[in-house]
């Protein structure tokens, strides 16, 4: 029997259902604002560096320059570039919040979240605190003072597009700069490892050896030990020693043995083996079967920190801007000799000036409030207003004298607000909020319509 004639345009069955997502116009606009925020950060860093001067004030300007470069400009640049060249599918590596390749996935598990919590606690591991303002400030203070913080938070890494469900760690000799730690992610339902094996959870473990600067973003971060296989084996051995009922296997050469760098620029090397822990025989000591993954799902729909930060920054900017603008404009009107001779005209001018300034900032305040409530269009309009204001200020100060402290503070607030509003969390939340509102409206319309 002869083979069928080959057909060039035949689409394999496994990829026939894959289609490119249509990009809406508002998505294009948001992408432009996202890229513009990166350019603004570099421009602002240039303004700060150019006007650093030669006196003792240079130290303050250089600190601001480093902070803008490390925490605004470089992370956003990496996010833009990695969105282009880093694969979006599973390659055995986590990703940082900036899109850089993070720690390798080096442990797999079968079991429930309650079983994982149970074996990790029995093995002497301590669950890390979630990353929030309180825990972030506490770990900075602990690192500077070298005080113990056994539940110190770990930075977020992402797998399957989600941050770790939870993490465990062991502090070394009471030093927060050195610790064993491992992050856990639940696998998507029905998802298979390359090769066809199914597991319930994946984990990435590494050892923090010191605190230093990231090679890629210049941020203060933990530096990890190069040989991550030692930490992987230590995690597996500690669990099996404390919980003999845990069975362990290994997928040899799961990935090619390699050496590379993680998201902080630290060298890493691995033999490519993937241990698989079977926790099915573990009986959790707690009857509470609520998983941390469920807690993560409950967080979906909550207002992200970026939206809250944008609201606070906008309120601070509005109060200071309105106060300064009204004070300056009213003084200019009062000093004008034309208005001094005509009190009625001066009063009318004051009313007009106050009305214009108040109306302008009232519009921005309304946009900020609608953004806080989840209106996507209001967020885009607010970005347009802030972008126009920021471009005007940056162009003014690039070619002029050193900006004053109030001007520098104002520029900083504007850039931080734009960064918060263009963050992925703010973007996704307003999109999902709008979709949820439309679904509720359709559902209410269907229920209210006559049958």
């Amino acid at each position: 029997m002869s083979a069928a004639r080959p057909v060039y345009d035949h689409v394999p069955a496994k990829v026939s259902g894959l289609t490119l997502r249509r990009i809406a116009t508002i998505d294009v606009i948001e992408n432009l604002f996202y890229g513009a925020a990166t350019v603004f950060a570099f421009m602002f860093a240039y303004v700060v560096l150019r006007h650093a001067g030669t006196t003792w004030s240079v130290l303050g300007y250089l600190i601001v320059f480093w902070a803008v470069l490390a925490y605004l400009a470089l992370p956003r640049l990496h996010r833009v570039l990695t969105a282009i060249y880093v694969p979006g599918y599973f390659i055995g590596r986590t990703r940082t919040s900036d899109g850089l390749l993070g720690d390798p996935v080096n442990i797999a598990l079968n079991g429930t979240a309650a079983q994982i919590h149970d074996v990790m606690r029995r093995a002497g591991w301590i669950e890390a605190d979630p990353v929030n303002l309180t825990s972030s400030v506490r770990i900075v203070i602990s690192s500077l003072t070298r005080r113990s913080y056994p539940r110190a938070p770990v930075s977020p890494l992402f797998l399957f597009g989600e941050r770790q469900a939870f993490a465990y760690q062991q502090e070394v000799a009471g030093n927060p700069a050195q610790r064993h730690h491992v992050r856990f992610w639940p696998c998507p339902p029905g998802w298979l490892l390359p090769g066809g094996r199914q597991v319930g959870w994946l984990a990435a473990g590494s050892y923090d050896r010191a605190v230093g600067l990231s090679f890629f973003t210049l941020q203060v971060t933990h530096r990890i030990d190069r040989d991550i296989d030692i930490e992987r084996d230590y995690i597996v051995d500690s669990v099996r020693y404390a919980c003999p009922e845990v069975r362990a296997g290994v997928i040899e050469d799961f990935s090619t043995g390699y050496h590379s760098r993680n998201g902080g620029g630290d060298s890493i090397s691995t033999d490519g083996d993937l241990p698989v822990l079977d926790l099915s025989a573990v009986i959790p000591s707690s009857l509470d079967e609520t998983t941390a993954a469920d807690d993560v799902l409950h967080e979906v729909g909550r207002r992200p920190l970026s939206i809250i930060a944008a609201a606070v920054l906008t309120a601070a900017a509005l109060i200071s801007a309105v106060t300064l603008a009204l004070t300056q404009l009213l003084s200019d009107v009062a000093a004008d000799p034309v208005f001094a001779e005509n009190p009625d005209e001066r009063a009318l001018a004051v009313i007009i000036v106050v009305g214009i300034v108040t109306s302008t900032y009232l519009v921005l305040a309304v946009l900020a409030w609608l953004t806080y409530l989840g209106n996507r269009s209001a967020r885009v309009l607010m970005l347009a207003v802030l972008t126009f204001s920021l471009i005007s200020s940056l162009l003014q100060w690039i070619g002029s004298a050193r900006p004053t402290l109030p001007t520098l503070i104002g520029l900083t607030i504007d850039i931080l607000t734009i960064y918060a509003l263009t963050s992925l969390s703010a973007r996704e939340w307003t999109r999902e909020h709008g979709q949820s509102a439309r679904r509720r409206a359709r559902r209410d319309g269907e229920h209210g319509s006559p049958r």
Side-chain angles (χ1 to χ4, degrees):
M1 184 175 178
S2 61
R5 182 184 179 88
V7 180
Y8 177 76
D9 62 355
H10 172 67
V11 180
K14 284 190 175 182
V15 299
S16 61
L18 300 180
T19 57
L20 294 177
R21 183 175 65 88
R22 184 175 64 86
I23 300 178
T25 303
I26 194 169
D27 291 330
V28 175
I29 295 175
E30 288 191 332
N31 289 337
L32 292 176
F33 281 125
Y34 193 92
T38 307
V39 177
F40 294 155
F42 279 103
M43 291 176 64
F44 182 52
Y46 170 75
V47 169
V48 172
L49 187 63
R50 183 175 181 270
H51 297 293
T54 57
T55 62
W56 281 104
S57 65
V58 67
L59 180 60
Y61 278 91
L62 289 178
I63 292 176
V64 174
F65 170 75
W66 165 76
V68 172
L69 197 65
Y71 290 92
L72 297 181
L74 289 177
R76 185 58 63 89
L77 179 62
H78 284 304
R79 167 60 69 178
V80 172
L81 294 178
T82 54
I84 299 173
Y85 71 80
V86 175
Y89 50 85
F90 179 82
I91 58 173
R93 293 287 296 272
T94 62
R95 294 181 68 167
T96 69
S97 56
D98 304 323
L100 295 166
L101 291 178
D103 296 348
V105 171
N106 53 8
I107 301 174
L109 306 96
N110 280 311
T112 66
Q115 289 172 321
I116 296 176
H117 285 299
D118 188 76
V119 298
M120 294 302 290
R121 290 165 182 163
R122 287 164 59 187
W125 293 79
I126 299 175
E127 187 173 4
D129 285 338
V131 178
N132 52 40
L133 181 60
T134 302
S135 62
S136 298
V137 171
R138 185 177 176 185
I139 192 174
V140 170
I141 296 176
S142 299
S143 299
L144 293 175
T145 60
R146 295 188 177 276
R147 293 181 180 178
S148 175
Y149 185 7
R151 299 180 62 90
V154 299
S155 59
L157 290 180
F158 293 81
L159 191 65
F160 308 119
E162 302 290 339
R163 72 172 61 204
Q164 68 267 10
F166 50 85
Y168 277 83
Q169 63 185 10
Q170 287 181 347
E171 196 175 75
V172 177
N175 184 358
Q178 297 179 350
R179 58 180 177 175
H180 307 274
H181 64 297
V182 55
R183 301 172 175 86
F184 296 86
W185 292 265
C187 297
W191 183 82
L192 302 177
L193 287 171
R197 185 162 177 176
Q198 186 170 24
V199 294
W201 293 77
L202 291 176
S206 58
Y207 175 74
D208 287 338
R209 56 181 175 82
V211 173
L213 295 180
S214 166
F215 289 164
F216 295 138
T217 63
L218 303 181
Q219 295 177 2
V220 177
T221 185
H222 280 92
R223 311 301 301 274
I224 71 169
D225 186 69
R226 180 177 184 273
D227 195 340
I228 62 170
D229 292 344
I230 296 177
E231 182 71 3
R232 174 198 68 191
D233 296 341
Y234 172 74
I235 296 168
V236 173
D237 292 343
S238 67
V239 168
R240 295 191 67 193
Y241 177 79
C243 309
E245 67 271 31
V246 173
R247 292 176 294 178
V250 63
I251 302 177
E252 295 183 353
D253 302 321
F254 171 74
S255 65
T256 303
Y258 64 88
H259 59 86
S260 181
R261 292 187 181 273
N262 73 346
D266 299 325
S267 295
I268 52 177
S269 65
T270 177
D271 58 17
D273 290 348
L274 181 69
V276 181
L277 299 180
D278 183 2
L279 311 182
S280 58
V282 174
I283 301 176
S285 56
S286 173
L287 297 179
D288 184 9
E289 292 292 330
T290 301
T291 68
D294 293 333
D295 294 337
V296 172
L297 293 177
H298 292 322
E299 292 291 331
V300 175
R302 290 189 180 181
R303 185 175 288 105
L305 180 61
S306 57
I307 292 292
I308 298 175
V312 173
L313 289 169
T314 302
L318 289 176
I319 293 173
S320 60
V322 169
T323 303
L324 290 175
L326 291 179
T327 302
Q328 182 64 38
L329 289 173
L330 292 178
S331 64
D332 291 343
V333 170
D336 195 309
V338 175
F339 293 131
E341 297 176 0
N342 302 280
D344 293 337
E345 292 185 6
R346 182 172 62 182
L348 179 61
V350 169
I351 293 174
I352 293 174
V353 168
V354 171
I356 293 175
V357 173
T358 303
S359 299
T360 301
Y361 285 105
L362 182 61
V363 171
L364 190 57
V366 170
L367 290 176
W369 175 246
L370 292 176
T371 301
Y372 184 79
L373 295 178
N375 189 294
R376 187 183 185 188
S377 299
R379 182 174 65 85
V380 174
L381 289 175
M382 188 176 175
L383 280 171
V385 174
L386 291 173
T387 298
F388 177 79
S389 173
L390 188 60
I391 290 176
S392 302
S393 300
L394 287 175
L395 291 178
Q396 173 187 356
W397 289 107
I398 281 179
S400 62
R402 181 184 303 175
T404 61
L405 182 60
T407 302
L408 196 63
I409 294 175
L411 288 174
T412 303
I413 292 177
D414 284 347
I415 287 182
L416 290 176
T417 306
I418 291 176
Y419 258 71
L421 291 175
T422 56
S423 66
L424 296 182
S425 59
R427 184 170 176 171
E428 292 298 327
W429 182 73
T430 52
R431 179 189 290 113
E432 293 174 359
H433 194 277
Q435 293 173 348
S436 299
R438 286 190 293 271
R439 284 195 296 267
R440 286 195 300 268
R442 285 196 299 267
R443 187 167 55 249
D444 293 341
E446 293 172 357
H447 292 166
S449 60
R451 294 184 179 274

